[in-house]
Amino acid sequence: MKRFSLYILILFTLLSCEDSQSSFRLKGEFKHLEQGEFYLYTDRDIAKFDTLKITNGRFTYEANIDYDVTYHLLYPNFSELTFFASPGDKIKIKGDARHLIGTEVTGSKDNEEYTAFRLGNQKKSEKEQQVAAADFIKQHPTSQVSIYLFKQHFLLAQQRKPEIIKDLYRELLTAQPQNAILNGWKDQITYFSELLEVNDSLPNFSFSLEDSTNVKRKDYEGKYLLVNFWASWDGNTTSMFYRIRKFREQYPDKFEILSISLDVEKKNKKNVEKNCSIKWPSYSDYMAWNSPLVRDFRITSVPCFFFVGPDLKIIAIGEDFTTDIQPVIKKTLNLK
């Protein structure tokens, strides 16, 4: 009987230890917040939210995890706090409801390093944050934080640098060859590594407009050309074409324009062209993201602009005409 009791005790102890090792515990404390609710979700299941009840400014949370997890704490004002958890971690969050951006996360090396990164770079521009993120990744290639920073500041960035993405990804994958998240990005990285860059040649193209006019790459040799990809369902389309048209009216003979729509319905494309007074060549094969032009130009979003020189080499690429393209046109063509 004693031996049986001893077995039960050992088994209970082992189970308790195993549960403790896989359990992740979170404690939070916020000044100037007596009660309320926060919501918690993970990168792996963004559709599932856990509710955190706040009483007297405090909350607790516990979950069993058997792998590293990136969590996002959603505040009532819809801003977020990102933190990281590994099996066995005991994480503490401390902040002030009147200044949520200054919230600190402690209890693990990853969270303390990310808190320092976040607080130290929150007032910097996106370009400056990219530089800081790249430096962090190079110094900490085995960190969960580096994977998150790579995703946020490079994979999801509006202005992507293919060579930087490829180099940083190689460093991360070398340091974490079995990481499922990194391995899941391989196809995406391959695509981004082939994005067009400044000084690349304009891709070859040839198509017929609805009036049977043939438009081809060779037509623009010796000319400056603005190519823009757009779609009627993009909310910025009308204002974008307004700015392009007004700028072109100032300098009517300085550069050509070619617009390519990713619409699937002809009437939608036509309505925009009419309402926006588009007088230059505008084309669509009505295949949207399946268009060969999307593949050839490596388009990842709309709007997307290419400013091209007389040698058919790309001078500028961007997603905003006013900030990314117009200043380059003015400088290149010496326009006032």
Side-chain angles (χ1 to χ4, degrees), residues 64-293:
N64 288 327
I65 56 176
D66 55 9
Y67 49 78
D68 293 341
V69 179
T70 299
Y71 278 96
H72 304 279
L73 187 66
L74 183 63
Y75 297 131
N77 66 357
F78 298 107
S79 62
E80 291 186 348
L81 174 71
T82 298
F83 64 94
F84 310 90
S86 297
D89 278 352
K90 295 180 180 179
I91 307 301
K92 293 182 180 179
I93 296 177
K94 190 172 184 179
D96 188 326
R98 299 180 303 183
H99 186 62
L100 292 171
I101 198 170
T103 301
E104 296 185 354
V105 185
T106 58
S108 73
K109 183 179 179 181
D110 281 342
N111 283 298
E112 288 161 11
E113 289 179 343
Y114 180 61
T115 295
F117 178 91
R118 176 170 51 82
L119 297 181
N121 293 281
Q122 60 190 7
K123 294 183 179 180
K124 295 181 179 179
S125 68
E126 174 55 29
K127 288 186 178 179
E128 292 173 324
Q129 288 188 36
Q130 278 189 332
V131 172
D135 288 340
F136 185 97
I137 292 168
K138 291 175 182 177
Q139 294 172 21
H140 309 87
T142 61
S143 170
Q144 298 189 65
V145 181
S146 292
I147 295 176
Y148 174 74
L149 292 177
F150 178 72
K151 176 183 177 181
Q152 293 300 118
H153 293 285
F154 297 98
L155 287 190
L156 299 181
Q158 287 191 339
Q159 298 296 324
R160 301 184 181 95
K161 302 292 185 181
E163 285 303 314
I164 295 178
I165 288 176
K166 187 165 57 177
D167 290 344
L168 291 176
Y169 180 71
R170 187 185 303 114
E171 289 199 36
L172 287 170
L173 196 59
T174 299
Q176 305 183 54
Q178 305 302 319
N179 187 286
I181 295 175
L182 291 174
N183 281 285
W185 287 341
K186 281 186 177 180
D187 289 343
Q188 191 175 358
I189 298 299
T190 298
Y191 186 87
F192 285 148
S193 68
E194 296 173 357
L195 292 179
L196 294 175
E197 297 184 84
V198 170
N199 294 324
D200 283 347
S201 294
L202 185 70
N204 193 26
F205 60 86
S206 178
F207 47 77
S208 294
L209 303 178
E210 292 176 19
D211 63 1
S212 299
T213 300
N214 186 252
V215 178
K216 54 187 181 298
R217 179 181 184 271
K218 191 174 181 180
D219 296 338
Y220 297 100
E221 287 182 352
K223 305 174 183 179
Y224 286 97
L225 170 67
L226 174 67
V227 180
N228 83 290
F229 284 78
W230 64 281
S232 64
W233 38 261
D234 174 52
N236 298 315
T237 294
T238 300
S239 60
M240 174 197 70
F241 275 129
Y242 175 81
R243 295 195 300 271
I244 294 174
R245 191 180 75 250
K246 287 297 182 182
F247 185 71
R248 175 74 180 290
E249 288 173 354
Q250 288 182 275
Y251 311 102
D253 302 319
K254 296 298 183 178
F255 62 94
E256 303 292 323
I257 304 177
L258 174 61
S259 292
I260 300 172
S261 167
L262 299 190
D263 279 295
V264 294
E265 293 189 17
K266 185 176 181 179
K267 65 178 182 179
N268 293 337
K269 171 178 174 288
K270 285 293 185 182
N271 285 339
V272 171
E273 291 172 344
K274 180 180 179 180
N275 294 335
C276 295
S277 301
I278 296 176
K279 304 299 183 183
W280 54 82
S282 181
Y283 171 76
S284 179
D285 55 16
Y286 304 106
M287 297 176 65
W289 295 104
N290 294 319
S291 170
L293 290 169

Side-chain angles (χ1 to χ4, degrees), residues 1-11:
M1 185 66 181
K2 290 183 178 180
R3 181 175 295 181
F4 177 75
S5 301
L6 180 60
Y7 287 155
I8 294 297
L9 179 61
I10 293 173
L11 179 61

